[in-house]
Amino acid sequence: MNSTTFRMPARRCAAVTAAVALVAAPVALAGPAHATGGDAKGRAGAVVLRAGLDVSLLNKTVQVPLRASLNEVSAPASADETALSVRLDGVDQGKPFSMLRADVATARATADRDAAVGYANLARARVHIPGLPLLSLVEVEQVTSEARCAVGEKPVATSNLLGTVRILGQKVTLGAAGRTKVTVPGVGEVTLDLSRTETTSRTAAATALELKVSVNPLKLNVAEVDGAVTLVKATCETPKKAAVKPEEPKKEDPKGEPKPDVETQTGDEPNLAETGGSATTLYLAGGAAVLLGVGGGALVMTRKRARNRA
């Protein structure tokens, strides 16, 4: 009898412990949101001069490629060199010649999660090509290009030209934009594209001057020069907004088994959002009631056995 008397509280104690575990079980809440999609920065670039020319030599049947650039950068970077010298085998006995000299030659590119901007500027500059050491291919006073791509905005590309432009020594009258052809007898011709801009939904590009060259210098062992020279170009690409994805909640009972989500609400239940309660509140309240009921029953049985023993 006495052994039974002592075992009964133990079983009820186990029930109380189970109730406590039920009430204290952690309630899973939605985890913090996190960004997906990797690097969301935009892209930008700028260049003051880029040349792609093929130089044919008088005493050879080969062409010597001339690939050169000045102040070509990609974000984040900047450069401000004002001179470019090039050396070609077979041209003027391999001596270096000055391809570009300027008072100001700046290229800058920046990019972050909000915007990408490319910018290039050239002032009081002269560009030369092989075979024409004294006659400038092009002379400009000042040209600038800028491309800006900002999140939530339409990409913008602009080019501005101030002052006069000379092609092969001839002053050229230019409009706001367009194409101009300059022909010099005994030298060749140059086709000039001015202020060319391109934009898409996410990109922009601005080129102040693009020259298509076809000349026949017949000097310094150079028979012909063909190709293109680009002056003052800027590009950009709009940053991508990172997608935000919330973490999935982890719901487990004390035994490690997933608990189903219950969101059904009948007409008799109160609107928990309006009253300030939640499904978690009801769950905890029910657990607390079970705990109080079991604890109260155990107390009554203990007092009753104490009276019997007395």
Side-chain angles (χ1 to χ4, degrees):
M1 181 69 179
N2 289 339
S3 60
T4 303
T5 301
F6 282 99
R7 284 196 300 270
M8 291 296 289
R11 287 199 297 270
R12 281 170 171 75
C13 182
V16 173
T17 302
V20 172
L22 182 64
V23 174
V27 179
L29 301 176
H34 60 89
T36 62
D39 188 5
K41 290 184 179 180
R43 297 180 181 178
V47 62
V48 168
L49 179 147
R50 184 187 294 131
L53 300 171
D54 292 320
V55 181
S56 298
L57 306 182
L58 283 175
N59 58 356
K60 295 183 180 180
T61 59
V62 297
Q63 289 184 329
V64 180
L66 193 164
R67 305 290 182 264
S69 64
L70 178 70
N71 296 347
E72 185 164 17
V73 298
S74 57
S78 63
D80 56 4
E81 296 181 12
T82 58
L84 174 64
S85 294
V86 178
R87 185 193 302 268
L88 289 176
D89 293 337
V91 178
D92 195 17
Q93 299 179 352
K95 297 178 181 178
F97 71 93
S98 174
M99 189 169 185
L100 181 143
R101 288 191 179 277
D103 288 354
V104 178
T106 302
R108 184 170 61 247
T110 60
D112 55 28
R113 295 181 182 277
D114 297 318
V117 180
Y119 172 83
N121 176 51
L122 185 63
R124 293 177 292 279
R126 293 185 177 187
V127 179
H128 292 270
I129 59 175
L132 296 175
L134 301 178
L135 183 63
S136 299
L137 172 67
V138 58
E139 298 179 30
V140 296
E141 290 190 21
Q142 184 173 3
V143 287
T144 61
S145 291
E146 183 175 12
R148 178 179 177 82
C149 300
V151 174
E153 300 178 12
K154 184 179 178 180
V156 178
T158 58
S159 285
N160 295 311
L161 188 150
L162 301 176
T164 61
V165 175
R166 294 183 181 272
I167 303 293
L168 298 176
Q170 296 187 4
K171 184 177 179 180
V172 179
T173 301
L174 302 171
R179 175 171 294 182
T180 301
K181 180 179 288 187
V182 177
T183 302
V184 178
V187 178
E189 67 179 26
V190 175
T191 301
L192 170 65
D193 283 324
L194 173 69
S195 300
R196 191 178 68 186
T197 60
E198 299 175 1
T199 58
T200 68
S201 60
R202 294 190 61 243
T203 64
T207 304
L209 296 168
E210 184 160 342
L211 306 140
K212 293 183 179 180
V213 181
S214 179
V215 299
N216 302 281
L218 301 180
K219 296 178 181 180
L220 302 179
N221 198 35
V222 176
E224 188 175 79
V225 178
D226 289 288
V229 175
T230 299
L231 289 180
V232 190
K233 182 174 182 178
T235 62
C236 67
E237 181 179 338
T238 306
K240 294 181 180 179
K241 274 294 187 181
V244 178
K245 181 180 179 180
E247 293 182 357
E248 294 293 333
K250 299 178 181 179
K251 299 181 179 180
E252 295 184 356
D253 65 7
K255 296 181 180 179
E257 297 178 356
K259 297 186 75 63
D261 294 331
V262 180
E263 298 181 356
T264 307
Q265 188 180 70
T266 63
D268 297 334
E269 295 177 345
N271 188 320
L272 299 179
E274 294 180 359
T275 60
S278 66
T280 302
T281 304
L282 296 178
Y283 177 73
L284 294 176
V290 172
L291 174 61
L292 292 176
V294 173
L299 181 60
V300 171
M301 293 298 295
T302 301
R303 291 179 176 176
K304 183 175 180 181
R305 291 192 183 89
R307 287 196 299 269
N308 292 335
R309 288 197 299 271

